[in-house]
Amino acid sequence: MSRVLKRRQFLQGSLAAAASVGVSAVRASAVRTKEDYVEAIVIGSGFGGAVASLRLGQAGIETIVLERGRRWQITDAGDTFSTYQQPDGRSTWLSPTTVVFDQVPIDVYTGVLDVKRGDNIRAYRGAGVGGGSLVYNGVTYQPTQELFYQVFPRTINYEELDRVYYPRVRSILKPSQIPDDILQTNYYLSSRIFLEQAAKAGLKARKLDMAVDWDIVRQEIAGQKVPSAITGQVYYGINSGAKNSLDRNYLSMAEATGKVEIRPLHVVTTIEESVDTPLPKGEGILHSSSEL
């Protein structure tokens, strides 16, 4: 499919979202008519794209979210994702082997975890509706002002972030520290040992906020949900639904506005400025593959 959009609206609506490039399928030809116009397109449904899509939808702007990966629905069967013990194609994005731990042969499939290899560095990325939130550990950490400015320029107002935006994110992701009753179980023995050893060494250690539904973790412990969070099944997704991934908050809220449509299994291949069409100057053509 293809869509036409104004350059400024594209930048405002989706600069924060990650573009998925490099996987080839059937490339759609450009549809260069005003009837095929959409106000905003967001590329990727990870943390940047999810926030952008929600705010665009709340502003009443017709928005399409293009996501290269699948939509991973948690079910009562508890088998949405593959496990570390028995990895299969669901674990990895279009790869003949897994990309974490040992490289185990698997069927090539549009799985949930991808890796970008660079110069002595590997960046692991999510592939699916929810992006990286599907495969991260849920840690939701707000840096101190001192640490923040070691990375970001002082033109960014940390005090405003602290006062307005960090609390806004917390109100949606609902992160919290691991409760003591869960920490005291055998499943979290290593965490307790870590805290104890840090204290003995005179180091400051504390529990971090995590975007986790601890009641579902309790259900795992009680045998009412498939063991997933308590067995450390993080990188391929948590089958019990304990992780508060973006598809369960920001993205579902965006869809609920009635203005946002999420299209899984769509890969953006090119973004071009429209120069040879009767459309107003400054609009552009976005090409994506059809469904994989």
PDB file of all heavy atoms in Angstrom, residues 20-26 68 93-94 110 114 266-269 289 292:
ATOM      1  N   SER A  20      11.459   0.719   9.744  1.00  0.00           N
ATOM      2  CA  SER A  20      11.908  -0.639   9.473  1.00  0.00           C
ATOM      3  C   SER A  20      12.276  -0.735   8.004  1.00  0.00           C
ATOM      4  O   SER A  20      11.435  -0.561   7.145  1.00  0.00           O
ATOM      5  CB  SER A  20      10.784  -1.628   9.790  1.00  0.00           C
ATOM      6  OG  SER A  20      10.385  -1.497  11.128  1.00  0.00           O
ATOM      7  N   VAL A  21      13.528  -0.988   7.722  1.00  0.00           N
ATOM      8  CA  VAL A  21      14.007  -0.967   6.350  1.00  0.00           C
ATOM      9  C   VAL A  21      14.799  -2.228   6.073  1.00  0.00           C
ATOM     10  O   VAL A  21      15.487  -2.744   6.941  1.00  0.00           O
ATOM     11  CB  VAL A  21      14.911   0.267   6.109  1.00  0.00           C
ATOM     12  CG1 VAL A  21      15.409   0.296   4.682  1.00  0.00           C
ATOM     13  CG2 VAL A  21      14.148   1.543   6.410  1.00  0.00           C
ATOM     14  N   GLY A  22      14.709  -2.741   4.855  1.00  0.00           N
ATOM     15  CA  GLY A  22      15.637  -3.781   4.438  1.00  0.00           C
ATOM     16  C   GLY A  22      15.027  -5.129   4.186  1.00  0.00           C
ATOM     17  O   GLY A  22      15.700  -6.012   3.685  1.00  0.00           O
ATOM     18  N   VAL A  23      13.758  -5.369   4.548  1.00  0.00           N
ATOM     19  CA  VAL A  23      13.134  -6.639   4.255  1.00  0.00           C
ATOM     20  C   VAL A  23      12.260  -6.447   3.037  1.00  0.00           C
ATOM     21  O   VAL A  23      11.377  -5.609   3.021  1.00  0.00           O
ATOM     22  CB  VAL A  23      12.288  -7.134   5.441  1.00  0.00           C
ATOM     23  CG1 VAL A  23      11.619  -8.438   5.088  1.00  0.00           C
ATOM     24  CG2 VAL A  23      13.179  -7.315   6.655  1.00  0.00           C
ATOM     25  N   SER A  24      12.528  -7.211   2.003  1.00  0.00           N
ATOM     26  CA  SER A  24      11.855  -6.997   0.722  1.00  0.00           C
ATOM     27  C   SER A  24      10.704  -7.959   0.552  1.00  0.00           C
ATOM     28  O   SER A  24      10.817  -9.141   0.815  1.00  0.00           O
ATOM     29  CB  SER A  24      12.852  -7.172  -0.422  1.00  0.00           C
ATOM     30  OG  SER A  24      12.212  -7.034  -1.669  1.00  0.00           O
ATOM     31  N   ALA A  25       9.579  -7.435   0.128  1.00  0.00           N
ATOM     32  CA  ALA A  25       8.470  -8.285  -0.287  1.00  0.00           C
ATOM     33  C   ALA A  25       7.965  -7.702  -1.596  1.00  0.00           C
ATOM     34  O   ALA A  25       8.754  -7.284  -2.419  1.00  0.00           O
ATOM     35  CB  ALA A  25       7.388  -8.320   0.789  1.00  0.00           C
ATOM     36  N   VAL A  26       6.654  -7.653  -1.811  1.00  0.00           N
ATOM     37  CA  VAL A  26       6.130  -7.072  -3.034  1.00  0.00           C
ATOM     38  C   VAL A  26       6.019  -5.577  -2.842  1.00  0.00           C
ATOM     39  O   VAL A  26       5.270  -5.115  -1.996  1.00  0.00           O
ATOM     40  CB  VAL A  26       4.745  -7.668  -3.368  1.00  0.00           C
ATOM     41  CG1 VAL A  26       4.201  -7.037  -4.642  1.00  0.00           C
ATOM     42  CG2 VAL A  26       4.856  -9.177  -3.514  1.00  0.00           C
ATOM     43  N   ARG A  68       6.276  -3.685  11.074  1.00  0.00           N
ATOM     44  CA  ARG A  68       6.791  -4.809  10.281  1.00  0.00           C
ATOM     45  C   ARG A  68       6.409  -6.158  10.875  1.00  0.00           C
ATOM     46  O   ARG A  68       6.264  -7.146  10.154  1.00  0.00           O
ATOM     47  CB  ARG A  68       8.314  -4.723  10.175  1.00  0.00           C
ATOM     48  CG  ARG A  68       9.033  -4.850  11.503  1.00  0.00           C
ATOM     49  CD  ARG A  68      10.526  -4.931  11.326  1.00  0.00           C
ATOM     50  NE  ARG A  68      11.213  -4.933  12.614  1.00  0.00           N
ATOM     51  CZ  ARG A  68      12.462  -5.331  12.785  1.00  0.00           C
ATOM     52  NH1 ARG A  68      13.164  -5.752  11.756  1.00  0.00           N
ATOM     53  NH2 ARG A  68      13.015  -5.293  13.984  1.00  0.00           N
ATOM     54  N   TRP A  93      13.173 -12.795  14.213  1.00  0.00           N
ATOM     55  CA  TRP A  93      12.713 -12.133  13.000  1.00  0.00           C
ATOM     56  C   TRP A  93      13.491 -12.610  11.777  1.00  0.00           C
ATOM     57  O   TRP A  93      14.677 -12.336  11.629  1.00  0.00           O
ATOM     58  CB  TRP A  93      12.859 -10.619  13.155  1.00  0.00           C
ATOM     59  CG  TRP A  93      12.530  -9.831  11.925  1.00  0.00           C
ATOM     60  CD1 TRP A  93      13.415  -9.249  11.055  1.00  0.00           C
ATOM     61  CD2 TRP A  93      11.231  -9.538  11.407  1.00  0.00           C
ATOM     62  NE1 TRP A  93      12.753  -8.618  10.037  1.00  0.00           N
ATOM     63  CE2 TRP A  93      11.398  -8.782  10.233  1.00  0.00           C
ATOM     64  CE3 TRP A  93       9.937  -9.853  11.825  1.00  0.00           C
ATOM     65  CZ2 TRP A  93      10.320  -8.328   9.463  1.00  0.00           C
ATOM     66  CZ3 TRP A  93       8.864  -9.399  11.062  1.00  0.00           C
ATOM     67  CH2 TRP A  93       9.074  -8.646   9.900  1.00  0.00           C
ATOM     68  N   LEU A  94      12.823 -13.366  10.911  1.00  0.00           N
ATOM     69  CA  LEU A  94      13.339 -13.780   9.605  1.00  0.00           C
ATOM     70  C   LEU A  94      14.791 -14.250   9.666  1.00  0.00           C
ATOM     71  O   LEU A  94      15.663 -13.766   8.951  1.00  0.00           O
ATOM     72  CB  LEU A  94      13.205 -12.626   8.602  1.00  0.00           C
ATOM     73  CG  LEU A  94      11.767 -12.156   8.315  1.00  0.00           C
ATOM     74  CD1 LEU A  94      11.774 -11.011   7.314  1.00  0.00           C
ATOM     75  CD2 LEU A  94      10.898 -13.300   7.821  1.00  0.00           C
ATOM     76  N   THR A 110       8.369 -14.589  10.831  1.00  0.00           N
ATOM     77  CA  THR A 110       8.331 -13.199  11.313  1.00  0.00           C
ATOM     78  C   THR A 110       8.202 -13.207  12.834  1.00  0.00           C
ATOM     79  O   THR A 110       7.185 -12.827  13.408  1.00  0.00           O
ATOM     80  CB  THR A 110       7.158 -12.445  10.669  1.00  0.00           C
ATOM     81  OG1 THR A 110       5.956 -13.227  10.803  1.00  0.00           O
ATOM     82  CG2 THR A 110       7.419 -12.174   9.201  1.00  0.00           C
ATOM     83  N   ASP A 114      14.775  -9.384  17.012  1.00  0.00           N
ATOM     84  CA  ASP A 114      15.695  -9.111  15.911  1.00  0.00           C
ATOM     85  C   ASP A 114      16.991  -8.561  16.500  1.00  0.00           C
ATOM     86  O   ASP A 114      17.006  -8.044  17.619  1.00  0.00           O
ATOM     87  CB  ASP A 114      15.051  -8.081  14.969  1.00  0.00           C
ATOM     88  CG  ASP A 114      15.902  -7.813  13.732  1.00  0.00           C
ATOM     89  OD1 ASP A 114      16.681  -8.691  13.344  1.00  0.00           O
ATOM     90  OD2 ASP A 114      15.752  -6.722  13.159  1.00  0.00           O
ATOM     91  N   HIS A 266       3.768  -4.930   7.739  1.00  0.00           N
ATOM     92  CA  HIS A 266       4.039  -3.947   6.694  1.00  0.00           C
ATOM     93  C   HIS A 266       5.430  -3.372   6.930  1.00  0.00           C
ATOM     94  O   HIS A 266       5.733  -2.894   8.027  1.00  0.00           O
ATOM     95  CB  HIS A 266       3.006  -2.819   6.710  1.00  0.00           C
ATOM     96  CG  HIS A 266       1.732  -3.160   6.010  1.00  0.00           C
ATOM     97  ND1 HIS A 266       0.841  -4.097   6.498  1.00  0.00           N
ATOM     98  CD2 HIS A 266       1.196  -2.719   4.843  1.00  0.00           C
ATOM     99  CE1 HIS A 266      -0.192  -4.195   5.673  1.00  0.00           C
ATOM    100  NE2 HIS A 266      -0.004  -3.374   4.662  1.00  0.00           N
ATOM    101  N   VAL A 267       6.246  -3.421   5.918  1.00  0.00           N
ATOM    102  CA  VAL A 267       7.625  -2.949   6.014  1.00  0.00           C
ATOM    103  C   VAL A 267       7.804  -1.738   5.113  1.00  0.00           C
ATOM    104  O   VAL A 267       7.541  -1.805   3.915  1.00  0.00           O
ATOM    105  CB  VAL A 267       8.627  -4.056   5.609  1.00  0.00           C
ATOM    106  CG1 VAL A 267      10.055  -3.531   5.674  1.00  0.00           C
ATOM    107  CG2 VAL A 267       8.457  -5.273   6.505  1.00  0.00           C
ATOM    108  N   VAL A 268       8.244  -0.637   5.682  1.00  0.00           N
ATOM    109  CA  VAL A 268       8.499   0.565   4.893  1.00  0.00           C
ATOM    110  C   VAL A 268       9.795   0.371   4.115  1.00  0.00           C
ATOM    111  O   VAL A 268      10.817  -0.021   4.673  1.00  0.00           O
ATOM    112  CB  VAL A 268       8.593   1.804   5.793  1.00  0.00           C
ATOM    113  CG1 VAL A 268       9.026   3.028   4.997  1.00  0.00           C
ATOM    114  CG2 VAL A 268       7.259   2.056   6.473  1.00  0.00           C
ATOM    115  N   THR A 269       9.752   0.648   2.818  1.00  0.00           N
ATOM    116  CA  THR A 269      10.934   0.470   1.979  1.00  0.00           C
ATOM    117  C   THR A 269      11.523   1.798   1.523  1.00  0.00           C
ATOM    118  O   THR A 269      12.736   1.922   1.412  1.00  0.00           O
ATOM    119  CB  THR A 269      10.603  -0.388   0.745  1.00  0.00           C
ATOM    120  OG1 THR A 269       9.503   0.213   0.025  1.00  0.00           O
ATOM    121  CG2 THR A 269      10.201  -1.804   1.163  1.00  0.00           C
ATOM    122  N   SER A 289       5.924  -2.364   1.648  1.00  0.00           N
ATOM    123  CA  SER A 289       5.613  -3.652   1.063  1.00  0.00           C
ATOM    124  C   SER A 289       4.182  -4.026   1.426  1.00  0.00           C
ATOM    125  O   SER A 289       3.636  -3.551   2.417  1.00  0.00           O
ATOM    126  CB  SER A 289       6.569  -4.716   1.596  1.00  0.00           C
ATOM    127  OG  SER A 289       6.336  -4.935   2.973  1.00  0.00           O
ATOM    128  N   LEU A 292       3.538  -9.338   4.499  1.00  0.00           N
ATOM    129  CA  LEU A 292       4.538 -10.403   4.334  1.00  0.00           C
ATOM    130  C   LEU A 292       3.841 -11.764   4.382  1.00  0.00           C
ATOM    131  O   LEU A 292       2.923 -11.947   5.118  1.00  0.00           O
ATOM    132  CB  LEU A 292       5.572 -10.309   5.451  1.00  0.00           C
ATOM    133  CG  LEU A 292       6.420  -9.032   5.443  1.00  0.00           C
ATOM    134  CD1 LEU A 292       7.240  -8.967   6.724  1.00  0.00           C
ATOM    135  CD2 LEU A 292       7.338  -9.001   4.243  1.00  0.00           C
TER     136      LEU A 292
END
